[in-house]
Structure formats: structure tokens, C-alpha cells
Amino acid sequence: MTTTIIISQAVEWLKKMGVKVELNTELNQYEFEYGDAFVIMHADTPEGVLSFTCPYGFEDETSTMNRAIFDMAKGWWSEYTSTEYCFCEFVDNDCAFVCCLYGKNNATALRKNELIEMLNDAVSKWELLIFAISIAENTIQKA
């Protein structure tokens, strides 16, 4: 598996920050915990691009109600976040995710503070989705 320079730099910064990074060669991605989030960093992005995905698992893995909850939550989430470089999707009856793409246009090295800013942004958007899901669950259950 080959990785781009920016991915290699991000992995090195994460390790220096004490974050345990695991390579999933089968899925061509790096996996780690940052803050309270499980984060996936995709290794197959073009040079200069970092892609972070934070998954969310619904408690009821078989509920078709999860889709209605997600749709309501996504509507609110989209109102309060920039969707220019981030999006959220419903994967199955039990999973959703937030994915954010970040580009670095210049040829200089990835700085630690840039990586931290990107990760904090991605995790905050994931937390916002979780908050919106919680509100949507309460709204639907009361209806």
C-alpha cells in the first residue's frame, strides 16, 4: 500500500501526539481515536488531501425508524454546518457517518496545528450530528 506524503506526515504527527494509529490494509485506511470519536483516515486520497470519517452506530441495529431519525437530523445538521467540504450519510439501518475532506494547496509540510485544526473540525461536525440525532429521536418518540 502506498500513501501520499500528506498522509504519511499526518500519521507521524498523530504518533508524536501519542495517538495510537492502526493501519487497516484490507480497507486501505488508518484508524484511531481522537477525542471521543473513532476516526478513519483514508489512505487512497490524492496528494494534498486528507479525508476523515467519523462513524455513528445507532443503538437499535434493525430499526427502520433510524432512517427517519437520520433524515431529520441531517436536515438540522446541514443548517448548522458548512457542507462545502463535509457531508453525512446514512449507510444502513444501523450506521451513519460524517466525512470531511481537507486540501493543502501549498507544497510545504503538514504542520501539527493544521492537523489538529482539521481533526477538531471533523470531530465537532460528528458531535453535531450526534446531537441532532438525539433531538430527532426525542422528537419522533414524542410524536
Side-chain angles (χ1 to χ4, degrees):
M1 180 179 82
T2 58
T3 59
T4 61
I5 294 168
I6 195 169
I7 298 293
S8 298
Q9 291 173 344
V11 169
E12 287 305 312
W13 275 123
L14 288 165
K15 289 179 180 178
K16 287 179 183 179
M17 293 164 40
V19 176
K20 183 180 177 187
V21 180
E22 294 183 22
L23 172 61
N24 183 328
T25 54
E26 185 177 320
L27 298 175
N28 200 25
Q29 63 192 26
Y30 293 91
E31 302 169 347
F32 56 93
E33 290 191 27
Y34 185 81
D36 292 332
F38 176 74
V39 180
I40 298 166
M41 181 172 61
H42 305 275
D44 56 355
T45 57
E47 184 60 69
V49 175
L50 288 172
S51 172
F52 299 112
T53 298
C54 300
Y56 172 80
F58 287 91
E59 288 182 26
D60 185 352
E61 295 180 4
T62 60
S63 174
T64 55
M65 184 65 72
N66 291 343
R67 180 63 191 210
I69 291 168
F70 174 80
D71 288 343
M72 184 180 287
K74 182 178 181 178
W76 293 331
W77 181 85
S78 297
E79 287 182 37
Y80 294 100
T81 192
S82 170
T83 57
E84 183 178 337
Y85 60 93
C86 288
F87 59 94
C88 65
E89 293 295 328
F90 187 77
V91 179
D92 202 345
N93 282 342
D94 66 341
C95 187
F97 67 87
V98 170
C99 183
C100 297
L101 302 169
Y102 303 95
K104 187 152 171 54
N105 294 329
N106 57 21
T108 60
L110 176 67
R111 293 187 204 102
K112 178 181 175 182
N113 65 322
E114 291 172 320
L115 177 62
I116 291 171
E117 186 177 308
M118 292 173 192
L119 284 168
N120 287 342
D121 183 61
V123 169
S124 71
K125 287 177 175 35
W126 174 75
E127 290 170 339
L128 181 60
L129 178 64
I130 292 172
F131 181 69
I133 287 171
S134 176
I135 293 172
E137 284 175 339
N138 289 335
T139 302
I140 288 174
Q141 289 173 356
K142 290 180 181 178

